[in-house]
Amino acid sequence: MKNYTELSDIEDLQQLITEALELKRGTPTLEIGKGKTLGMLFFNPSLRTRLSTEKAAKLLGMEVMVMNAGSDSWKLEFEDGAVMNSDKAEHIKEAAAVLSQYCDIIAVRAFPDLQNKEKDEAETVLNSFKKYASVPVVNLESATGHPLQALTDAITIYELNKKDRPKVVLSWAPHPKTLPQSVPNSFAEIMQKMDVDFVITNPEGYDLNPEITKNTPVIHNQDEALKDADFVYVKNWSSYETYGRKLTEDKTWTFSAERLMQTNNAKVMHCLPVRRNMVIADEVLDSENSVVIQQAGNRTFAAQAVLKRILEEKVKQTELGKNA
Amino acid sequence: MKNYTELSDIEDLQQLITEALELKRGTPTLEIGKGKTLGMLFFNPSLRTRLSTEKAAKLLGMEVMVMNAGSDSWKLEFEDGAVMNSDKAEHIKEAAAVLSQYCDIIAVRAFPDLQNKEKDEAETVLNSFKKYASVPVVNLESATGHPLQALTDAITIYELNKKDRPKVVLSWAPHPKTLPQSVPNSFAEIMQKMDVDFVITNPEGYDLNPEITKNTPVIHNQDEALKDADFVYVKNWSSYETYGRKLTEDKTWTFSAERLMQTNNAKVMHCLPVRRNMVIADEVLDSENSVVIQQAGNRTFAAQAVLKRILEEKVKQTELGKNA
Amino acid sequence: MKNYTELSDIEDLQQLITEALELKRGTPTLEIGKGKTLGMLFFNPSLRTRLSTEKAAKLLGMEVMVMNAGSDSWKLEFEDGAVMNSDKAEHIKEAAAVLSQYCDIIAVRAFPDLQNKEKDEAETVLNSFKKYASVPVVNLESATGHPLQALTDAITIYELNKKDRPKVVLSWAPHPKTLPQSVPNSFAEIMQKMDVDFVITNPEGYDLNPEITKNTPVIHNQDEALKDADFVYVKNWSSYETYGRKLTEDKTWTFSAERLMQTNNAKVMHCLPVRRNMVIADEVLDSENSVVIQQAGNRTFAAQAVLKRILEEKVKQTELGKNA
């Protein structure tokens, strides 16, 4: 694995899941990361991603340097050819090239503005790091995707599943703010790679990017969608069609005990942080059906498996270089 | 020791002091903390507590992850049953449970608002972590107590004392701001456990919570209280009676050379940060009598002793589990 | 080396450069820093200095504790005898003495205000740490100097130079903000110690402190200065004469391809962050002549060489103490 910025960087999902679960059972393997440094750069706040990735790196023996872009460091310019006379003191070209000398892997979190679809879909921050960094880049959630979360989700479903082909429903929920589509996008993409019966349910106007949902059924009737569900992934996102807008706060979409009853005693998932009694009701989150804590715990092993793969690729490249 | 959130978590104070002083003389013991992670969560600023606890953990071989709540991460909701439609994105239930999967010990700093006595005494932040975390919790100063500081104070007095039963005076001092009672509370509590002649002196209206001071004499005449003192712990706090208010800035309470002359050549203590020439005069802080730097240095060993105890308890529980 | 707060702390520049380049080629030497802690205190933002110094310390086996002064901790009072009734909660006397107990080396970044020449030249923050800390102090860029950058610059010139006595030009450039003179000051000072033909070129009104430039030719005609240059160090600084002011934004001083043509195919240097198309044009930064990334990479080895020297001095002093 050369980078992990999108799900297509995974060549063998099943093998990666198996490896993550082995790492979960296993003891730390402090050799492969020894003397290597992970640099984590946050343009936005983070709890799980920050701590689980830091922990994963340390379990591999790596050193970790964490930086809040903007407050700890300089504001970055991403535009090519800019005359830099604004408040942006450093160009991404230099920042990425310099970080590549201090870090063996660079991990970046950069949310979308949700103002301009084209701009967000250009993934300027992440792609600029990919372009100008000379070391592997890991996506800690970008404008349109969150592949570390998606891998965690796949691991959790694999770990909990007891069926041949479980039914997995991604179910929209109301929220007071406008949120990115990155988590549902990546979840949809990874479910399409798994042996599951996957459907999405959301109100009209909330259909995700059809280039991502592809052939996945999108059902606007939540009752119908939840029927026989073995896993329900509850999540809010802002409209993709009326880009970045909140069209409704319809509480009938809140995942309640009543909704749970419509399923096949489903396991309930969420990437966290979750707004209680807006997105999922207390009675569900505090029930046996909720697996959100276990899911968050798996973040460590997803990150560990990905970082391990990247470090192994580097070792392989070095060996190839020597033998050439 | 299962947690260290209040002084009653100490079963054997004398033994803990002795152990801390052994750690102070000794070399790092990097085995017990190996592969273990301390997560430190700050809702308020910190210098000594942050660095000494981080250092203590590393001296035990632990990894440390530090986070500023609010700026690095999400705002937390503490109310049970809340409909989360405000700016608080994550409930403590999830935050504490998730952190428990990434950390082997969670340490939390959360000051009081000093607006509402009942709310502050509920110790919502600390107690919520204790309630919802599945790993031990350490108090890095909470609304009403600072047990790591108190242990440091006890260690310092034990280390410096040359008498059978020294006289220790906790002496109020003026300050431009309104400060919590957490440090004097915990100091009073730990002095009550030591073989010392302990008195508190403060202006009228500044008596601490009588449930904490108990039988400790509270003397409103500073001249009288300081007589024969071997140790004077100088500290400002806001009124407990007129809760959270500043009633006076009377400079005669500033601990000056003149005040020092009233004592038995006392050692002068303060938890730091100290407002020079408001709380303690330059002439005292810069004299041989001041032990505030040595006291701050002991913070490391107090934290180290506490973390070591907690790790040992975990080992013991694991062993018991295996043999059961 | 007892401290590294100014260039005069270097006794043997050539030997230090050689050692840094050996560290660059070499493998980590994790023994000398084992069990030692570097404390880094930032009063201003930092990217390269923060990460390269952290990395350097870890390559020596040290633990690193990083703190943003002001946001993570308390505001510091630096005035002697102050009655501390403002928003500054802690005096540097205590802060430096306490940090000295938690850290084996303290590194500090504190920029000038550029309002008052005398105040900035007093180097209050750095000198207060030197005065009150009981451990070595390292300058991570102060009001008037940046000796870690200067050492990096010397290393880079030494590494790239192919001539007996290369011509090195420090060339002023326009910038939208008013910047300190610390980088050009330290660069001038270290060039004066090297076997190079060193000249400075800047517009009238921008002459650096004559006590620093000493006998170095200061040429106001950029055309003339750049002739035959083997290395050009491009950098903006605010006026020293009309202290802290921006007198011009004259774009003819921007280092463009045309300017590069006036040199002897010079290597182009900058400390970064660099404002593209203000300070240096894209066409130069993206050309083979630019060595700014290599230069930034050398920051690690400059810091590593300095920290190693300081740790060695400590070992030596301990040995001397034992044998005395």
Side-chain angles (χ1 to χ4, degrees):
Chain A
M1 194 183 278
K2 280 188 186 150
N3 294 287
Y4 189 63
T5 56
E6 43 199 270
L7 285 170
S8 58
D9 291 323
I10 302 179
E11 284 169 28
D12 45 356
L13 178 58
Q14 184 50 53
Q15 210 177 309
L16 194 61
I17 291 174
T18 308
E19 190 163 352
L21 288 170
E22 273 166 21
L23 289 167
K24 185 173 184 174
R25 279 188 300 274
T27 46
T29 50
L30 299 167
E31 282 313 309
I32 192 158
K34 213 174 167 179
K36 305 285 182 196
T37 300
L38 171 68
M40 293 207 285
L41 197 57
F42 289 92
F43 290 85
N44 304 97
S46 175
L47 173 73
R48 271 153 291 277
T49 300
R50 179 188 292 259
L51 296 183
S52 63
T53 310
E54 184 172 347
K55 172 114 191 206
K58 287 177 173 172
L59 287 171
L60 293 168
M62 299 184 83
E63 296 287 354
V64 179
M65 303 198 292
V66 182
M67 201 156 48
N68 290 326
S71 71
D72 290 346
S73 176
W74 316 101
K75 280 203 185 180
L76 295 183
E77 174 66 62
F78 290 92
E79 206 187 315
D80 220 25
V83 176
M84 290 174 60
N85 55 8
S86 76
D87 61 334
K88 294 169 182 168
E90 177 139 39
H91 200 282
I92 179 66
K93 286 190 187 182
E94 275 73 50
V98 169
L99 282 173
S100 301
Q101 294 181 100
Y102 305 151
C103 304
D104 298 280
I105 300 175
I106 297 173
V108 181
R109 163 165 283 203
F111 290 172
D113 289 335
L114 293 177
Q115 301 300 318
N116 180 323
K117 188 189 284 195
E118 278 178 32
K119 192 172 156 284
D120 289 346
E121 295 193 335
E123 290 280 13
T124 313
V125 176
L126 186 71
N127 284 335
S128 298
F129 273 97
K130 259 180 90 167
K131 186 168 174 188
Y132 297 118
S134 55
V135 298
V137 175
V138 170
N139 182 346
L140 299 174
E141 185 170 347
S142 69
T144 66
H146 195 351
L148 275 177
Q149 179 66 51
L151 179 56
T152 306
D153 301 336
I155 291 167
T156 307
I157 289 174
Y158 182 83
E159 192 178 30
L160 290 165
N161 181 40
K162 292 163 178 168
K163 260 190 169 173
D164 247 14
R165 192 179 155 80
K167 180 173 177 186
V168 178
V169 182
L170 169 61
S171 183
W172 184 90
H175 196 284
K177 308 243 167 164
T178 53
L179 297 193
Q181 296 104 25
S182 47
V183 168
N185 281 349
S186 291
F187 184 70
E189 287 187 307
I190 208 158
M191 284 305 107
Q192 289 161 0
K193 292 166 183 269
M194 307 239 325
D195 188 22
V196 298
D197 173 18
F198 178 53
V199 305
I200 302 172
T201 181
N202 54 249
E204 287 193 30
Y206 276 97
D207 289 7
L208 292 166
N209 183 352
E211 290 183 28
I212 284 172
T213 53
K214 290 186 183 119
N215 296 328
T216 300
V218 177
I219 302 169
H220 295 148
N221 182 330
Q222 200 185 10
D223 296 340
E224 185 192 328
L226 292 177
K227 219 183 145 211
D228 299 326
D230 299 297
F231 293 89
V232 181
Y233 199 103
V234 188
K235 182 75 186 85
N236 168 268
W237 59 88
S238 61
S239 174
Y240 180 78
E241 299 165 72
T242 317
Y243 189 71
R245 297 284 292 278
K246 181 167 85 169
L247 308 177
T248 176
E249 224 180 81
D250 182 356
K251 299 294 193 328
T252 67
W253 285 85
T254 298
F255 201 80
S256 60
E258 205 179 333
R259 289 292 178 199
L260 183 56
M261 298 276 284
Q262 298 179 301
T263 70
N264 179 28
N265 193 26
K267 297 297 181 194
V268 180
M269 302 176 72
H270 190 282
C271 58
L272 305 186
V274 62
R275 301 263 178 166
R276 284 178 165 255
N277 304 313
M278 282 292 295
V279 173
I280 305 181
D282 277 344
E283 68 236 26
V284 176
L285 278 169
D286 297 334
S287 76
E288 292 284 310
N289 291 72
S290 168
V291 299
V292 299
I293 303 302
Q294 176 176 344
Q295 189 183 351
N298 283 336
R299 293 293 307 271
T300 303
F301 312 105
Q304 204 182 343
V306 164
L307 293 173
K308 187 162 173 280
R309 278 286 171 93
I310 291 174
L311 290 170
E312 284 166 353
E313 177 74 24
K314 280 191 139 190
V315 171
K316 208 166 74 183
Q317 293 304 325
T318 311
E319 295 299 318
L320 284 173
K322 276 185 196 157
N323 298 336
Chain B
M1 195 183 279
K2 280 187 188 154
N3 294 289
Y4 188 64
T5 56
E6 43 199 271
L7 285 171
S8 58
D9 291 323
I10 303 179
E11 283 168 28
D12 46 356
L13 179 58
Q14 183 49 53
Q15 211 177 308
L16 194 60
I17 292 174
T18 308
E19 191 163 350
L21 288 170
E22 272 166 22
L23 289 166
K24 184 173 184 175
R25 278 187 301 273
T27 46
T29 49
L30 299 167
E31 283 313 310
I32 192 158
K34 213 172 167 180
K36 305 285 182 195
T37 299
L38 172 69
M40 293 206 285
L41 197 56
F42 289 91
F43 290 84
N44 304 96
S46 174
L47 173 72
R48 269 154 293 278
T49 300
R50 178 188 293 260
L51 296 184
S52 62
T53 309
E54 183 172 349
K55 173 112 191 209
K58 287 177 172 171
L59 286 171
L60 294 168
M62 299 183 84
E63 296 288 353
V64 179
M65 303 198 292
V66 182
M67 202 157 47
N68 291 326
S71 71
D72 289 347
S73 175
W74 316 100
K75 279 202 186 182
L76 295 183
E77 173 66 63
F78 290 93
E79 206 186 316
D80 220 25
V83 177
M84 289 175 60
N85 56 7
S86 75
D87 61 335
K88 294 168 181 169
E90 176 139 39
H91 200 282
I92 178 66
K93 285 189 187 183
E94 276 72 51
V98 169
L99 282 172
S100 300
Q101 293 181 102
Y102 305 151
C103 305
D104 298 279
I105 300 175
I106 298 174
V108 180
R109 161 164 286 201
F111 291 172
D113 288 336
L114 293 178
Q115 301 299 317
N116 180 324
K117 189 190 284 197
E118 278 178 31
K119 191 171 158 284
D120 289 346
E121 294 194 336
E123 291 280 12
T124 313
V125 177
L126 186 70
N127 284 335
S128 299
F129 272 97
K130 259 180 88 168
K131 187 169 174 186
Y132 296 117
S134 56
V135 299
V137 175
V138 171
N139 182 345
L140 298 174
E141 186 171 346
S142 68
T144 66
H146 196 349
L148 275 176
Q149 180 66 51
L151 178 57
T152 306
D153 300 336
I155 291 166
T156 307
I157 288 174
Y158 182 83
E159 193 179 30
L160 290 165
N161 180 41
K162 291 165 177 165
K163 259 193 174 172
D164 249 13
R165 192 179 157 80
K167 181 173 177 185
V168 178
V169 182
L170 170 59
S171 182
W172 184 91
H175 196 283
K177 308 242 169 166
T178 53
L179 298 193
Q181 296 104 25
S182 48
V183 168
N185 281 349
S186 291
F187 184 70
E189 287 186 307
I190 208 160
M191 283 305 107
Q192 290 162 0
K193 292 166 183 268
M194 306 238 327
D195 187 22
V196 299
D197 173 18
F198 179 51
V199 305
I200 302 173
T201 182
N202 54 251
E204 288 192 28
Y206 275 97
D207 289 6
L208 292 165
N209 182 352
E211 290 183 28
I212 284 171
T213 53
K214 289 186 184 123
N215 296 328
T216 299
V218 177
I219 302 168
H220 295 146
N221 182 330
Q222 199 185 12
D223 295 341
E224 187 192 326
L226 292 177
K227 220 183 145 209
D228 299 327
D230 298 299
F231 293 89
V232 182
Y233 200 104
V234 189
K235 182 75 186 86
N236 168 269
W237 59 89
S238 61
S239 175
Y240 180 77
E241 299 165 73
T242 317
Y243 190 71
R245 297 284 292 280
K246 181 167 85 171
L247 308 178
T248 176
E249 224 179 80
D250 182 356
K251 298 298 192 326
T252 67
W253 286 84
T254 298
F255 202 80
S256 60
E258 206 179 332
R259 288 293 179 199
L260 182 58
M261 297 277 283
Q262 297 179 300
T263 70
N264 179 28
N265 194 27
K267 298 297 183 193
V268 180
M269 303 176 72
H270 189 282
C271 58
L272 305 184
V274 61
R275 300 263 179 164
R276 286 179 163 253
N277 304 313
M278 282 293 293
V279 173
I280 305 180
D282 277 346
E283 68 235 25
V284 175
L285 278 168
D286 297 334
S287 76
E288 292 283 311
N289 289 73
S290 167
V291 299
V292 300
I293 303 302
Q294 177 176 343
Q295 189 184 352
N298 284 336
R299 293 292 307 270
T300 303
F301 311 105
Q304 204 182 342
V306 163
L307 294 173
K308 187 162 172 279
R309 279 286 171 93
I310 291 173
L311 291 170
E312 284 166 353
E313 177 74 24
K314 281 191 138 188
V315 171
K316 209 166 73 184
Q317 294 304 326
T318 311
E319 294 300 317
L320 284 173
K322 276 186 195 157
N323 298 336
Chain C
M1 194 182 278
K2 281 187 187 152
N3 294 287
Y4 189 63
T5 56
E6 43 199 271
L7 285 170
S8 58
D9 290 324
I10 302 179
E11 282 168 28
D12 46 358
L13 178 59
Q14 184 48 53
Q15 212 178 309
L16 194 61
I17 292 174
T18 308
E19 190 164 352
L21 288 170
E22 273 166 21
L23 289 166
K24 185 172 183 175
R25 280 188 300 273
T27 47
T29 50
L30 298 167
E31 283 313 310
I32 191 157
K34 212 174 169 179
K36 304 285 182 195
T37 301
L38 171 68
M40 293 206 285
L41 197 58
F42 289 90
F43 291 83
N44 305 95
S46 175
L47 173 73
R48 273 154 290 280
T49 299
R50 178 188 293 258
L51 296 184
S52 64
T53 309
E54 184 172 347
K55 172 112 192 208
K58 287 177 172 171
L59 287 171
L60 294 167
M62 299 184 84
E63 296 287 355
V64 179
M65 303 198 292
V66 182
M67 201 158 48
N68 290 327
S71 71
D72 290 346
S73 174
W74 316 101
K75 279 204 184 178
L76 295 183
E77 173 67 63
F78 290 92
E79 206 188 313
D80 220 24
V83 177
M84 289 174 61
N85 55 8
S86 76
D87 62 333
K88 294 169 182 168
E90 177 140 38
H91 200 281
I92 179 64
K93 285 189 185 181
E94 275 73 49
V98 169
L99 282 172
S100 300
Q101 294 181 101
Y102 305 151
C103 305
D104 298 278
I105 300 174
I106 297 173
V108 181
R109 163 164 284 203
F111 290 173
D113 289 336
L114 293 177
Q115 301 300 317
N116 180 323
K117 187 190 285 196
E118 277 179 31
K119 191 171 157 286
D120 289 347
E121 295 194 335
E123 290 279 12
T124 312
V125 177
L126 186 70
N127 284 335
S128 299
F129 273 97
K130 259 180 87 167
K131 188 170 174 185
Y132 296 117
S134 55
V135 298
V137 175
V138 170
N139 182 346
L140 298 174
E141 186 170 346
S142 68
T144 67
H146 196 350
L148 276 176
Q149 179 66 51
L151 178 56
T152 306
D153 301 336
I155 291 166
T156 308
I157 289 174
Y158 181 83
E159 193 179 28
L160 290 165
N161 181 41
K162 291 163 179 167
K163 257 191 170 175
D164 248 13
R165 193 180 156 80
K167 181 173 176 184
V168 178
V169 182
L170 170 60
S171 182
W172 184 91
H175 196 283
K177 307 243 168 165
T178 53
L179 298 193
Q181 295 103 26
S182 48
V183 168
N185 280 349
S186 291
F187 184 70
E189 286 186 309
I190 208 159
M191 284 304 107
Q192 289 161 2
K193 292 166 182 270
M194 306 236 330
D195 188 23
V196 299
D197 172 19
F198 178 52
V199 304
I200 302 172
T201 182
N202 54 253
E204 287 193 30
Y206 276 97
D207 289 7
L208 291 166
N209 182 353
E211 288 181 29
I212 284 171
T213 54
K214 290 187 184 122
N215 296 328
T216 299
V218 177
I219 301 169
H220 295 147
N221 182 330
Q222 199 185 11
D223 296 340
E224 187 193 325
L226 292 177
K227 218 182 145 211
D228 299 326
D230 299 297
F231 293 89
V232 182
Y233 199 104
V234 188
K235 182 75 186 84
N236 169 267
W237 59 88
S238 61
S239 175
Y240 180 79
E241 300 165 72
T242 317
Y243 189 72
R245 297 285 292 280
K246 180 167 85 170
L247 308 177
T248 176
E249 224 181 79
D250 182 357
K251 298 297 193 326
T252 67
W253 285 86
T254 298
F255 202 81
S256 59
E258 203 179 334
R259 288 294 179 197
L260 182 57
M261 298 276 283
Q262 297 179 302
T263 70
N264 179 29
N265 193 26
K267 298 297 183 194
V268 179
M269 303 175 71
H270 190 282
C271 58
L272 305 184
V274 62
R275 300 264 179 165
R276 285 178 164 254
N277 303 313
M278 282 291 296
V279 173
I280 305 180
D282 277 346
E283 69 235 25
V284 175
L285 277 169
D286 297 333
S287 77
E288 293 283 313
N289 290 73
S290 169
V291 299
V292 300
I293 303 303
Q294 177 176 343
Q295 188 183 351
N298 284 336
R299 292 293 307 270
T300 304
F301 312 106
Q304 204 182 342
V306 163
L307 293 173
K308 187 161 173 279
R309 277 287 170 93
I310 290 174
L311 291 170
E312 284 166 352
E313 177 73 24
K314 281 191 140 189
V315 171
K316 209 167 73 183
Q317 293 304 325
T318 311
E319 295 299 318
L320 283 174
K322 277 186 197 158
N323 298 337

